[in-house]
């Protein structure tokens, strides 16, 4: 069984939510030298694209890449952006969406053969003791 990344599925779902809600979907992309994007629009190592139907043509979001045709300063360009380079997708009007952790910081859960399915299930469903005070912490 193949282990597909959830990232392209989440990108497609947030895109669809934006369109259904009448919002403008924007994607933030990590810019690196090998990525063929308009360099004059890169700020702080990233570039942001409006991927609404009014802004791009031929949008395809598959499991490997996000591709579309867009005009920059009147010049049409075909962009093919690897899914790994997408940092997030959000609705411009309400600034809601999803941001993805850098690939090297992605959290993964692995189950080894030594762990029984019962102990794993118990640890996943165990309810923490509450003291009435939330114990949240921000992880960057």
């Amino acid at each position: 069984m193949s282990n597909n990344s959830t990232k392209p599925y989440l990108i497609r779902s947030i895109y669809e939510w934006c369109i259904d809600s009448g919002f403008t979907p924007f994607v933030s992309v990590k810019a690196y030298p090998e990525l063929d994007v308009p360099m004059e629009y890169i700020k702080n190592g990233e570039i942001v694209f409006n991927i609404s139907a009014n802004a791009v043509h031929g949008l395809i979001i598959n499991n490997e890449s996000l591709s579309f045709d867009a005009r920059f300063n009147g010049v049409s360009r075909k962009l093919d952006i690897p899914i790994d380079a997408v940092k997030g997708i959000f609705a411009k009007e309400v600034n809601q969406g999803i941001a993805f952790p850098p690939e090297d910081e992605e959290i993964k859960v692995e189950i080894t053969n030594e762990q029984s399915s019962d102990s794993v299930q118990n640890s996943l469903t165990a309810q923490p003791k509450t003291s009435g005070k939330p114990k949240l912490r921000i992880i960057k």
Side-chain angles (χ1 to χ4, degrees):
M1 183 159 103
S2 105
N3 188 10
N4 291 336
S5 170
T6 57
K7 192 173 186 178
Y9 297 92
L10 294 169
I11 293 169
R12 287 190 290 266
S13 66
I14 296 296
Y15 175 83
E16 191 172 309
W17 168 78
C18 286
I19 299 305
D20 289 351
S21 302
F23 299 140
T24 309
F26 275 71
V27 291
S28 170
V29 175
K30 178 183 172 185
Y32 51 89
E34 299 82 21
L35 189 62
D36 185 23
V37 295
M39 295 301 199
E40 62 271 22
Y41 297 103
I42 295 174
K43 291 184 181 160
N44 298 323
E46 77 177 325
I47 184 167
V48 178
F49 297 105
N50 173 350
I51 57 169
S52 69
N54 294 335
V56 301
H57 298 285
L59 176 67
I60 298 171
I61 305 171
N62 62 36
N63 290 355
E64 290 78 37
S65 67
L66 178 131
S67 61
F68 54 88
D69 294 317
R71 296 180 87 62
F72 301 92
N73 289 328
V75 178
S76 182
R77 291 191 57 178
K78 171 106 175 119
L79 299 178
D80 190 29
I81 299 164
I83 287 294
D84 289 344
V86 177
K87 293 175 65 174
I89 180 168
F90 61 95
K92 175 188 172 193
E93 294 80 1
V94 293
N95 201 29
Q96 289 183 355
I98 189 166
F100 302 104
E103 292 300 314
D104 57 335
E105 293 179 23
E106 194 168 328
I107 299 169
K108 296 186 190 282
V109 175
E110 292 184 25
I111 299 172
T112 62
N113 288 337
E114 294 84 38
Q115 294 173 306
S116 73
S117 61
D118 289 340
S119 67
V120 171
Q121 185 62 35
N122 290 340
S123 68
L124 293 175
T125 59
Q127 297 296 319
K129 294 179 185 175
T130 58
S131 65
K133 193 174 182 184
K135 292 186 170 104
L136 301 176
R137 59 181 193 160
I138 298 173
I139 300 173
K140 292 186 180 184

